[in-house]
Amino acid sequence: VKRITLLTDFGTADGYVAAVKGVMATLVTDALFDDASHDIAQGDVRAAAWALGGYWQLYPAGTVHVVVVDPGVGSDRRALACNADGRFLVAPDNGVLTRVLHAAPDAHVVAITNAALLRPEVSTTFHGRDVFAPAAAHLAQGGALDDLGPRVADAVVLPERSAVQEPHGCRGTVVHVDRYGNLVTNIPGDWVGIDAAVRIGTTMTRVVRTYSDVEPGDLLALTGSRGTLEISVRNGSALERVWLSHELEVHVTSAPGDATI
Amino acid sequence: VKRITLLTDFGTADGYVAAVKGVMATLVTDALFDDASHDIAQGDVRAAAWALGGYWQLYPAGTVHVVVVDPGVGSDRRALACNADGRFLVAPDNGVLTRVLHAAPDAHVVAITNAALLRPEVSTTFHGRDVFAPAAAHLAQGGALDDLGPRVADAVVLPERSAVQEPHGCRGTVVHVDRYGNLVTNIPGDWVGIDAAVRIGTTMTRVVRTYSDVEPGDLLALTGSRGTLEISVRNGSALERVWLSHELEVHVTSAPGDATI
Amino acid sequence: VKRITLLTDFGTADGYVAAVKGVMATLVTDALFDDASHDIAQGDVRAAAWALGGYWQLYPAGTVHVVVVDPGVGSDRRALACNADGRFLVAPDNGVLTRVLHAAPDAHVVAITNAALLRPEVSTTFHGRDVFAPAAAHLAQGGALDDLGPRVADAVVLPERSAVQEPHGCRGTVVHVDRYGNLVTNIPGDWVGIDAAVRIGTTMTRVVRTYSDVEPGDLLALTGSRGTLEISVRNGSALERVWLSHELEVHVTSAPGDATI
């Protein structure tokens, strides 16, 4: 099975995604394409990195993940391919692989430079079709990673503020807001006990186990599906409830008698 | 062929859909995934039930339909799996299977409780990934439905108002508004003859056979693709033309000399 | 491999796309479905024709491309199937194949009329499910094109203004605006040299090689991925920068000493 996933900010209506698939289908006739998303906000490398972080390792070894959120297309930014924990990724060198490289620090990363493996004419505006698609096809067919180009040791990694443990709790940052308006933080869920107090800006709430521990419409915090603290509204949007400045800090104070922190 | 369809309200940009696919691809390496939709309005169980009703039976026997519109995730609502007319479905027990269970009243339904078949750690917020994906993979591989958990006879079914025949016509209700602004009713198309008068609120129109029986921009009613009466505007939106209260009634008066009603 | 792509204006939330896929999956159990797009603006045949033009030929011979942007459904507009350069297409006869037929003028085109190959009951509103899906399945299985119906020599082709070369440059028209706000023209990229002056309405810019030849936020023109001149803003939207009337003309004046024009 030659399974290839796609994550882009292309939308679909212009046919650009289909062009990428078409190039790969010609080179790997039996490829299976899984759309991850084409709705990443335009050029939002950080959002793409977060989304990718949630699925790349859930796919089996041998899967090829294509990621094209590429505001620097046509500049001298490099095109990368890598083997991380047995999964392959092709992506521009702009930080979109940050969470992959954190999770798999011994990933084997190369710069895609071998023109013989790319489309004969490479445009300056559409490397998804002309560079990443043929590179992904090469890997899906079992081609060697090192055929694509030379080893790279300095792939771009986005800086991230870490959550910090403090005497009576911890603090962290909102790192993603999802479709439901959940505010996803970088605070590990196992740092935080049930009933701990959570403050974001001037808004206070408490940690619960699950949404239904509060009434519909109530604010809450819990450990979300990525293993970190999330601030949510049951059947509603925390984004609409909380005033969010850029990189808003989240403070947690352990509950009385809480042994977790 | 192990074909699995997905219907969710996840959107795609957060990577949640890809996480569900990744879990299934690891368990069933040659699975084919068909996206039905990820654009169901958040938590709109009724809309999801309507959409599902239009395709689940068009797929061949053996298909696994995954439906995750699940505002009750993490509560004590059950997770269901069923065999309906040879197709398998996995979904939360919140009424999203209503139209399936109406069409296949002898469906075999179980509650998904066998932790050995689920992800080792089940989050409280993402059962699509942790419960429904592995359950679907089990079924796609030919695993027994009864392995997943005990038989259930009381799956949630949403109440629905039926259309009613009356001395000189019938009345029914708008049950769905689609992307084009078509108002889909629950009135069977074969209750209604060509040229019958249709009233919705204070708006009147007539039944025709096809859109092109009226001029572009004109209001009309016809039997739609689901076999029921729809109110439409040719190359336009009936939703923008008709004032819609919640569950607005539709009245049909048979045309003079009409033998259909 | 039986690969079928889909391009529609259905959106996905109503389940209409899944109905089309289900019909085809029943007829061709091992079909691979690639979503091109379901986000074409409603009834925008010209936009669909442009999108299709960018990928249909990148897929390998034998691929079946299903295109259902069909504001005339239920009227007497014909349904078409064709073999163009080894790829198959099924689509309404409304001009959506314009760019295919321009690129493959010797395409073999038939009208789909053989009811035995369609769904037993053909609705007046959903030929994607009832006509195009079974016709596409027939072709994906290797069925003969001529089985579908009689040869057609007069498929609808949309009129298009051509770009024109002039003594000191050329002029053309914006033919598509993409998701990024790029204004795609019909002026061949090889008519235009680097540094040529471009005027659109009252706005002036210059031709460069790649986005990064200007500063972020600056307007530019370059040869885009479809081989024609595009007017763009680096990391921004030209659509928001330029006042666009319908079919706005673009004028290019060759740079001093430019040998290209």
Side-chain angles (χ1 to χ4, degrees):
Chain A
V1 174
K2 295 152 188 167
R3 192 177 294 276
I4 300 175
T5 81
L6 294 99
L7 180 72
T8 78
D9 63 353
F10 294 174
T12 61
D14 300 306
Y16 299 152
V17 170
V20 173
K21 291 178 179 174
V23 168
M24 296 192 293
T26 294
L27 295 168
V28 191
T29 53
D30 55 344
L32 302 183
F33 301 128
D34 287 4
D35 291 303
S37 184
H38 306 294
D39 287 337
I40 298 294
Q42 289 162 36
D44 194 337
V45 170
R46 198 172 280 269
W50 191 86
L52 178 64
Y55 68 84
W56 74 275
Q57 223 163 355
L58 293 176
Y59 271 90
T63 302
V64 180
H65 297 296
V66 177
V67 184
V68 194
V69 178
D70 191 15
V73 63
S75 71
D76 56 4
R77 72 97 187 88
R78 297 176 298 195
L80 301 181
C82 80
N83 177 336
D85 195 22
R87 287 80 177 171
F88 296 99
L89 297 103
V90 296
D93 185 22
N94 59 15
V96 76
L97 297 181
T98 294
R99 284 165 187 271
V100 172
L101 298 175
H102 279 162
D106 58 348
H108 180 142
V109 187
V110 304
I112 303 172
T113 58
N114 183 354
L117 292 175
L118 309 184
R119 293 244 300 160
E121 284 198 50
V122 173
S123 68
T124 63
T125 60
F126 194 3
H127 287 191
R129 181 191 65 188
D130 300 337
V131 174
F132 296 111
H138 172 77
L139 295 170
Q141 282 171 312
L145 185 61
D146 289 319
D147 289 351
L148 290 169
R151 191 82 179 252
V152 162
D154 59 347
V156 172
V157 172
L158 300 174
E160 277 187 59
R161 299 228 309 251
S162 297
V164 177
Q165 285 182 296
E166 298 180 322
H168 300 288
C170 58
R171 65 187 156 80
T173 301
V174 172
V175 294
H176 185 74
V177 180
D178 77 7
R179 184 195 202 205
Y180 300 91
N182 297 314
L183 311 178
V184 184
T185 77
N186 60 354
I187 299 173
D190 54 13
W191 285 13
V192 174
I194 299 296
D195 219 32
V198 175
R199 178 170 67 78
I200 177 168
T202 57
T203 304
M204 299 290 303
T205 187
R206 292 225 165 245
V207 176
V208 298
R209 198 186 61 81
T210 184
Y211 298 129
S212 55
D213 289 341
V214 304
E215 297 299 309
D218 280 359
L219 198 74
L220 63 107
L222 50 56
T223 300
S225 63
R226 296 282 286 265
T228 61
L229 194 73
E230 297 187 13
I231 298 164
S232 302
V233 166
R234 181 179 175 190
N235 299 342
S237 166
L239 178 63
E240 294 176 6
R241 190 71 59 81
V242 173
W243 185 85
L244 268 191
S245 64
H246 188 61
E247 292 204 297
L248 195 59
E249 281 208 339
V250 176
H251 296 260
V252 180
T253 311
S254 57
D258 181 357
T260 307
I261 303 180
Chain B
V1 174
K2 295 152 188 168
R3 193 178 295 275
I4 301 175
T5 81
L6 294 99
L7 181 71
T8 78
D9 64 352
F10 293 174
T12 61
D14 300 305
Y16 299 153
V17 170
V20 172
K21 291 178 180 174
V23 168
M24 296 193 292
T26 295
L27 295 167
V28 191
T29 52
D30 54 347
L32 302 184
F33 301 127
D34 286 5
D35 292 302
S37 184
H38 306 294
D39 287 338
I40 298 295
Q42 289 163 36
D44 194 338
V45 171
R46 199 172 280 269
W50 191 87
L52 179 63
Y55 69 83
W56 74 275
Q57 224 163 355
L58 292 177
Y59 271 90
T63 302
V64 180
H65 297 297
V66 177
V67 184
V68 194
V69 177
D70 191 12
V73 63
S75 72
D76 56 3
R77 71 98 187 87
R78 297 176 299 196
L80 301 181
C82 80
N83 178 334
D85 195 22
R87 288 80 178 169
F88 296 99
L89 298 103
V90 297
D93 185 22
N94 60 14
V96 75
L97 298 180
T98 294
R99 284 166 186 271
V100 173
L101 299 174
H102 278 163
D106 58 347
H108 181 142
V109 186
V110 305
I112 303 171
T113 58
N114 183 354
L117 292 175
L118 309 183
R119 293 242 302 161
E121 284 198 51
V122 172
S123 68
T124 63
T125 60
F126 194 3
H127 287 192
R129 180 191 66 187
D130 301 337
V131 174
F132 296 110
H138 173 76
L139 296 169
Q141 283 170 313
L145 186 61
D146 289 318
D147 290 351
L148 289 170
R151 190 82 180 252
V152 162
D154 59 347
V156 171
V157 173
L158 300 175
E160 279 186 58
R161 298 226 310 249
S162 296
V164 177
Q165 284 181 297
E166 297 181 322
H168 299 289
C170 57
R171 65 187 154 82
T173 302
V174 172
V175 295
H176 185 73
V177 181
D178 77 8
R179 183 194 203 206
Y180 301 91
N182 297 314
L183 311 178
V184 184
T185 78
N186 60 356
I187 299 173
D190 53 13
W191 286 12
V192 174
I194 299 297
D195 218 32
V198 175
R199 177 170 67 78
I200 179 167
T202 57
T203 305
M204 300 291 303
T205 187
R206 292 228 165 244
V207 176
V208 297
R209 196 186 62 81
T210 185
Y211 298 130
S212 55
D213 289 341
V214 304
E215 297 299 309
D218 279 359
L219 198 72
L220 63 108
L222 51 56
T223 300
S225 64
R226 296 282 286 265
T228 61
L229 194 71
E230 298 186 14
I231 298 163
S232 302
V233 166
R234 181 179 174 191
N235 298 344
S237 166
L239 179 64
E240 294 175 6
R241 189 70 60 82
V242 174
W243 185 87
L244 267 191
S245 64
H246 188 62
E247 293 204 296
L248 195 61
E249 281 207 338
V250 176
H251 297 260
V252 180
T253 311
S254 58
D258 182 357
T260 309
I261 302 180
Chain C
V1 172
K2 296 152 189 168
R3 192 178 295 275
I4 301 175
T5 80
L6 294 100
L7 180 72
T8 78
D9 63 353
F10 292 175
T12 61
D14 300 305
Y16 299 152
V17 170
V20 172
K21 292 178 179 173
V23 168
M24 295 193 293
T26 295
L27 295 168
V28 191
T29 52
D30 55 345
L32 302 184
F33 301 129
D34 287 4
D35 291 303
S37 183
H38 306 294
D39 287 337
I40 298 295
Q42 290 163 36
D44 193 338
V45 171
R46 199 171 279 269
W50 192 86
L52 178 64
Y55 68 83
W56 74 274
Q57 223 163 355
L58 292 177
Y59 271 91
T63 302
V64 180
H65 297 296
V66 177
V67 184
V68 194
V69 177
D70 192 12
V73 64
S75 71
D76 55 4
R77 71 98 188 87
R78 296 176 299 193
L80 301 181
C82 80
N83 178 335
D85 194 22
R87 288 77 178 171
F88 296 99
L89 298 102
V90 296
D93 186 22
N94 60 15
V96 76
L97 298 181
T98 294
R99 284 165 187 272
V100 173
L101 299 175
H102 278 162
D106 58 347
H108 180 142
V109 186
V110 304
I112 303 172
T113 58
N114 182 356
L117 291 175
L118 309 183
R119 293 242 300 160
E121 284 198 50
V122 172
S123 68
T124 63
T125 60
F126 194 3
H127 287 191
R129 179 191 66 188
D130 301 337
V131 174
F132 297 109
H138 172 77
L139 295 170
Q141 283 170 313
L145 184 62
D146 289 318
D147 289 351
L148 290 170
R151 192 81 180 253
V152 163
D154 59 346
V156 172
V157 172
L158 299 175
E160 278 185 60
R161 298 226 309 250
S162 297
V164 177
Q165 285 183 297
E166 298 181 321
H168 300 289
C170 58
R171 65 186 155 81
T173 301
V174 172
V175 294
H176 186 73
V177 180
D178 78 7
R179 184 196 203 202
Y180 300 91
N182 297 315
L183 311 178
V184 184
T185 78
N186 60 354
I187 299 173
D190 52 14
W191 286 11
V192 175
I194 299 297
D195 218 32
V198 175
R199 178 170 67 79
I200 178 169
T202 58
T203 304
M204 299 290 303
T205 187
R206 291 226 166 245
V207 176
V208 297
R209 197 186 60 83
T210 186
Y211 298 130
S212 56
D213 289 341
V214 305
E215 296 300 309
D218 280 359
L219 196 73
L220 63 107
L222 51 56
T223 300
S225 64
R226 297 282 284 268
T228 61
L229 193 72
E230 299 187 12
I231 298 163
S232 302
V233 166
R234 180 178 175 191
N235 299 344
S237 166
L239 179 63
E240 294 175 6
R241 190 70 60 81
V242 174
W243 184 86
L244 268 192
S245 65
H246 187 60
E247 294 205 294
L248 196 59
E249 281 208 337
V250 176
H251 297 261
V252 180
T253 311
S254 58
D258 183 355
T260 308
I261 304 181

